[in-house]
Amino acid sequence: MSAEGPTSSREAPPRRPKVIKTNQQQVLLYVVLTLLLSLATVWAGRAWLHNSETLTFAVGAPTSDEALFATKLATLLKNNASRFRIKIVNNADNAKALAQFDHKQADLAVLRTDAKVPLRARTLAILEHDLVLLLGPGNKKIKSLAELKKKKVAVLAENESSLAFVRNILDIPDGPDAVKIQMAPQGATLDKLFAPASGFSAVIAIVHTSKAVRDKAYEQVAKRGGFTLNAIDEAKALARKFPGISDETLTAGTLSVSPEIPDDDLDTIGLEWLLVAQSKMSATIAGDIARIVYENKSALGLDSGFATHIEPASVEKDAFVMAHQGAADYINDDTKSFMDKYSDLMYLGAAALSVIGSIFAAIYAKITRIAPEKAGQLSTAVLDIGERIEHAHSLDQLECLQDELESILRGAVIGLRDGTISTDGLDTFKLGYEFVRDEIGMRRDYLKRHAGEVEKIAAPLPPPEDSNVVVVKTAQSA
């Protein structure tokens, strides 16, 4: 029988791929994917931190002071590459802008404290103070506001809302007396208003403080003896009666240095222009906007003088319009550091990234790694060798089976070391291996003991000898 038998007719099991090379590829791919995930996380965090926040700013006419201020603020934020953007929405007047703000259609607005204050308005900064100046013609003194009732009074101001304010402080209801309180004609000067032909007994001017101190017109008219500045002795009473009114003190020489007007400190009343935000605006955003406004006062002031002396919002609980919590935190230096503000978020983010990382690691392992083979599954190949042992009729055939068995054992050891083979069913594999190994040993001993018989069985029968044929023939002839 030839050396090629049943054993050689079966193909040897394929060798397992080289584990080291495969693991190197897995590690490289895992590192690349991890770097990509890290870059994506950093990019998302950066985009979240620097994502532009668009804030709607409701203002009056484009030429109004609040509209010009909003334009300057928008330009400042854009030039400084701030994450905030301002969208300016113009209205017919500031009253309509406040109505838009009240309907939650705007994030920011500017109001004067004599206006109807929206319930959700919170102060970010005080932009300007308005002074109420009670002026009489020539040397005429006006002892009290009550004297002006039933007299013709001109209101010198920039908007119609001031007319209602004056009628309110004079306590003049709608009717014939209210008509006598009139808005001064556009472009009218004090000289014209105090001229006998005008018929005005007094002028109540409502002007920005920053504009009044630089306006030389008062000094020029005063040199001609054109007016007298009167105190409003009811200032404190009016401030208590109307919460939006503040009692102010004009220091000597505020309106004119020569002649000095007033010649001594003088009591009057005033109003404030407030930059307000929605109460629902986050403290972080409100604080950032307030900080930007406070730190850029010189860049936000208008040429007319409006907003050239920006002040922090009042943080008192009895303020006419309460300060926004974000602005109050900045003013009180209670603003939280980056870690204070985002520590909780960072902890949550770290936990989330840990979970995400575990999920991605599982996905990477599922996609890139070879699924570990159970050690018990190798028992099938071992038992297959055991079935072929009885068909091995030579030591050479038996050695081939021995080599196959050792190859399986070597692969199992390497796989257990590198993790490509799990220990599941390892006892079964060991039992099968020992059984087949012993069978090979016993078959080897058998082949050695019966080597002659095996050769005799396998050898062909010898041919008949010619001498026997000759003997048979001789016998027949006899």
Side-chain angles (χ1 to χ4, degrees):
M1 187 177 293
S2 64
E4 295 183 0
T7 304
S8 61
S9 63
R10 295 173 180 257
E11 295 183 359
R15 292 183 178 272
R16 300 181 62 82
K18 292 185 178 180
V19 180
I20 296 177
K21 184 177 180 180
T22 302
N23 286 344
Q24 290 176 346
Q25 294 174 348
Q26 291 174 211
V27 170
L28 178 61
L29 183 58
Y30 188 89
V31 169
V32 171
L33 291 176
T34 303
L35 289 175
L36 291 176
L37 177 60
S38 301
L39 291 174
T41 303
V42 172
W43 177 85
R46 184 179 179 85
W48 176 74
L49 288 175
H50 295 280
N51 186 29
S52 62
E53 183 87 22
T54 301
L55 303 175
T56 303
F57 202 144
V59 295
T63 56
S64 63
D65 288 334
E66 65 271 16
L68 296 176
F69 171 81
T71 301
K72 279 212 165 189
L73 179 60
T75 303
L76 174 69
L77 295 175
K78 183 178 180 181
N79 293 340
N80 290 348
S82 171
R83 70 186 181 96
F84 298 109
R85 294 291 181 270
I86 298 294
K87 176 184 177 183
I88 300 174
V89 179
N90 292 105
N91 292 271
D93 52 42
N94 192 248
K96 289 183 172 57
L98 291 177
Q100 185 181 31
F101 179 90
D102 196 24
H103 293 152
K104 299 181 181 180
Q105 297 174 353
D107 304 295
L108 300 170
V110 174
L111 64 84
R112 197 171 71 173
T113 49
D114 63 322
K116 181 182 178 182
V117 180
L119 293 175
R120 304 175 187 85
R122 297 293 183 269
T123 307
L124 296 181
I126 301 173
L127 301 182
E128 185 63 82
H129 288 264
D130 274 3
L131 291 174
V132 178
L133 306 177
L134 179 57
L135 307 173
N139 296 323
K140 183 178 180 181
K141 287 281 187 179
I142 301 173
K143 295 181 180 180
S144 67
L145 294 176
E147 292 183 16
L148 300 179
K149 289 186 177 182
K150 297 183 180 181
K151 291 186 179 181
K152 189 177 180 181
V153 178
V155 178
L156 188 61
E158 295 182 354
N159 52 67
E160 293 287 338
S161 63
S162 296
L163 179 61
F165 169 72
V166 171
R167 289 174 178 173
N168 196 24
I169 63 173
L170 293 178
D171 196 18
I172 298 177
D174 294 337
D177 292 338
V179 178
K180 295 181 180 181
I181 312 300
Q182 303 174 9
M183 283 293 296
Q186 190 73 23
T189 62
L190 288 177
D191 288 332
K192 291 182 179 180
L193 293 175
F194 285 135
S198 67
F200 289 112
S201 300
V203 172
I204 296 180
I206 302 177
V207 296
H208 300 325
T209 302
S210 56
K211 183 177 181 180
V213 297
R214 65 175 66 183
D215 192 349
K216 297 299 182 180
Y218 294 102
E219 183 175 337
Q220 295 171 1
V221 175
K223 287 180 179 180
R224 296 191 294 269
F227 73 92
T228 298
L229 178 62
N230 300 275
I232 299 179
D233 296 330
E234 305 94 328
K236 294 186 182 299
L238 290 172
R240 288 193 298 268
K241 184 177 180 180
F242 303 100
I245 295 176
S246 59
D247 57 297
E248 304 283 345
T249 299
L250 281 177
T251 58
T254 298
L255 298 183
S256 173
V257 177
S258 179
E260 193 176 36
I261 299 176
D263 56 4
D264 197 2
D265 291 351
L266 179 142
D267 292 333
T268 186
I269 58 175
L271 299 167
E272 292 179 341
W273 288 86
L274 308 178
L275 173 62
V276 296
Q278 294 283 353
S279 58
K280 295 295 184 181
M281 179 182 289
S282 73
T284 301
I285 294 177
D288 288 344
I289 294 296
R291 175 185 56 79
I292 292 171
V293 171
Y294 299 153
E295 294 178 357
N296 296 275
K297 297 177 183 179
S298 59
L300 294 174
L302 304 185
D303 294 336
S304 63
F306 183 83
T308 53
H309 291 84
I310 298 175
E311 301 174 15
S314 174
V315 296
E316 300 297 330
K317 293 183 179 179
D318 60 349
F320 180 60
V321 180
M322 291 185 62
H324 195 288
Q325 186 60 50
D329 289 341
Y330 179 79
I331 295 167
N332 294 328
D333 199 22
D334 289 336
T335 51
K336 297 179 179 179
S337 65
F338 180 85
M339 288 300 297
D340 292 335
K341 289 190 292 186
Y342 299 110
S343 59
D344 293 341
L345 187 61
M346 291 173 66
Y347 290 138
L348 291 176
L353 287 177
S354 176
V355 174
I356 294 173
S358 299
I359 294 174
F360 270 91
I363 294 175
Y364 298 158
K366 187 70 175 178
I367 295 175
T368 63
R369 291 186 61 189
I370 300 173
E373 184 178 359
K374 297 179 180 180
Q377 294 176 339
L378 299 178
S379 303
T380 303
V382 172
L383 295 177
D384 179 69
I385 295 175
E387 293 177 356
R388 288 184 281 156
I389 292 175
E390 61 179 331
H391 301 290
H393 299 295
S394 67
L395 294 176
D396 291 339
Q397 294 176 355
L398 204 59
E399 288 301 324
C400 290
L401 296 178
Q402 181 71 38
D403 291 341
E404 288 186 34
L405 183 63
E406 296 302 326
S407 177
I408 294 174
L409 178 61
R410 188 182 306 107
V413 173
I414 295 174
L416 289 170
R417 181 194 65 188
D418 296 331
T420 55
I421 294 178
S422 69
T423 58
D424 191 7
L426 182 60
D427 292 338
T428 304
F429 171 76
K430 290 169 59 179
L431 183 63
Y433 171 80
E434 293 173 355
F435 174 76
V436 174
R437 181 193 60 190
D438 294 342
E439 284 290 319
I440 292 176
M442 289 188 292
R443 183 65 176 175
R444 182 180 292 108
D445 294 339
Y446 173 81
L447 291 178
K448 289 179 179 179
R449 289 196 308 268
H450 301 82
E453 295 180 5
V454 172
E455 291 177 359
K456 184 176 181 180
I457 294 173
L461 295 173
E465 295 181 359
D466 293 341
S467 58
N468 292 338
V469 176
V470 173
V471 171
V472 171
K473 287 182 179 182
T474 304
Q476 288 179 349
S477 65

